[in-house]
Amino acid sequence: ISNIAFSGTAAAQSFPLSLLSQQTQVEQARAQSQRDSAQQDRAEFRVERTISVASLRHKLVQKAVNAFHRASKFAASGAWQLGALELQKALAIDPNYAEAHANLGATYLHMGRMEEGATELRRAIALDPATSGYHANLAVALAQLGKNDDAKTEAMAALAIDSTNPEAHYLLGMLIGSQPREYRNAIPHLEYSARFIPEGHQSLAHLYELMGQPDRAEDERSLYKKALERSKPQRGKPELRKEAR
C-alpha cells in the first residue's frame, strides 16, 4: 500500500501490514520459534514476548469480541469495508478495546484511508503502548502520509519493544534507504527483514543497483524469486487457517 521509493529510482516499494489479534497467541509463538531457529547464526536479540499489562487489565466484552472475530474473517477474504463495519460495532460496545482500534486502523490503511488509519492506531497505542505491531502499522500510515521522520520514530519504537519485528525492520530500512548517504545503514534492516519477507530481497536489489553493485543486486533478485517459490503453498498440504477461539 506504500509508494516509498529509494531516491534515484522510480520503482515503488510496498511493505507489509499486519492485522493483530489476541486470539492468535499460538500462531505468534510458532512464528517466534521459527525466528529463533533462523537467527542462531547471528547475534542473539533479547526479546520479551509477553501479553501487555494493558491487555491483561482490560476485560473484554463478549459481544465486542464476536464482532472482532467477524471482522477478522472479512479481512481474511479482503472484504475491508465489511470488516470495518464490524470493528466499528465492536468499538461502539467497548471503546477501550485496543486491538479493535488497531485492526480498524490497519483496515483503513488497506482501504487507502490513511489519516483515519493513523488516528485509530494512535488510539490503540494510547490504550496499549507496549505492542510492537501497533507502532509498526502507525509507521506505515505516517510514511504513506509523507511524514517520514515520524514514521522512523514509530518504526524504532516498534523495534524497541520487539527487536525481531520484520515489518518494522523492513519499513525502517526503506525509510533510511531513501537517503543516498544512508544506503549502507539501511542494508542490515533489509537483510533481516528479507529472512521473513520476500520483498526485502527485492528492496535490497534496488539498493545495490543504486550503490553500483549490479552483481549483488542480481543475487538479491535471485533470492527474491526463490523466497517467493518457498512461500507458495505446497501441493497436497493444505494451508493452516487461523481459527477464532
Side-chain angles (χ1 to χ4, degrees):
I1 64 170
S2 166
N3 289 317
I4 293 179
F6 292 124
S7 60
T9 177
Q13 303 293 309
S14 63
F15 48 85
L17 183 66
S18 299
L19 292 178
L20 306 172
S21 170
Q22 284 179 336
Q23 309 304 318
T24 59
Q25 294 298 316
V26 173
E27 286 82 3
Q28 289 178 0
R30 185 182 298 119
Q32 177 61 22
S33 177
Q34 292 171 346
R35 290 180 190 176
D36 289 344
S37 177
Q39 66 186 32
Q40 286 178 356
D41 58 335
R42 290 199 173 195
E44 290 296 322
F45 290 102
R46 183 177 182 274
V47 182
E48 294 181 358
R49 289 267 176 177
T50 58
I51 299 174
S52 68
V53 173
S55 295
L56 290 171
R57 287 178 176 172
H58 180 61
K59 186 176 181 179
L60 295 174
V61 180
Q62 190 59 48
K63 287 185 178 180
V65 173
N66 293 342
F68 183 92
H69 287 325
R70 290 194 297 271
S72 297
K73 291 179 181 179
F74 284 128
S77 63
W80 302 113
Q81 182 64 49
L82 294 173
L85 290 174
E86 291 297 335
L87 289 166
Q88 289 165 1
K89 291 178 185 177
L91 289 167
I93 298 167
D94 184 358
N96 293 322
Y97 196 166
E99 286 192 303
H101 282 293
N103 274 15
L104 182 56
T107 298
Y108 282 151
L109 298 195
H110 278 289
M111 296 169 67
R113 295 161 63 175
M114 302 301 159
E115 289 283 3
E116 292 167 281
T119 296
E120 289 298 329
L121 288 160
R122 287 191 179 99
R123 287 171 179 163
I125 291 169
L127 291 165
D128 180 5
T131 297
S132 178
Y134 298 173
H135 293 276
N137 281 354
L138 179 55
V140 171
L142 294 170
Q144 185 66 29
L145 291 167
K147 300 177 180 179
N148 286 359
D149 288 341
D150 291 338
K152 284 183 187 178
T153 298
E154 290 299 329
M156 289 189 288
L159 291 174
I161 296 167
D162 176 5
S163 61
T164 70
N165 185 322
E167 290 84 4
H169 276 290
Y170 184 85
L171 178 57
L172 189 56
M174 294 296 298
L175 292 166
I176 293 173
S178 67
Q179 301 297 321
R181 288 182 294 182
E182 298 294 329
Y183 286 166
R184 294 189 181 281
N185 292 329
I187 289 174
H189 293 289
L190 293 174
E191 285 182 335
Y192 182 84
S193 72
R195 300 168 72 179
F196 312 101
I197 303 169
E199 288 75 14
H201 291 295
Q202 190 178 41
S203 299
L204 282 166
H206 282 293
L207 195 57
Y208 283 128
E209 286 285 0
L210 293 172
M211 294 171 67
Q213 300 182 39
D215 290 342
R216 297 195 70 175
E218 186 58 35
D219 288 343
E220 292 299 334
R221 279 190 284 269
S222 178
L223 289 170
Y224 173 59
K225 292 177 182 178
K226 292 178 181 178
L228 286 180
E229 287 298 319
R230 288 197 301 269
S231 66
K232 291 180 180 178
Q234 296 181 28
R235 291 183 180 179
K237 293 185 178 181
E239 291 184 86
L240 293 175
R241 295 180 178 274
K242 294 179 180 179
E243 296 291 340
R245 293 185 294 180

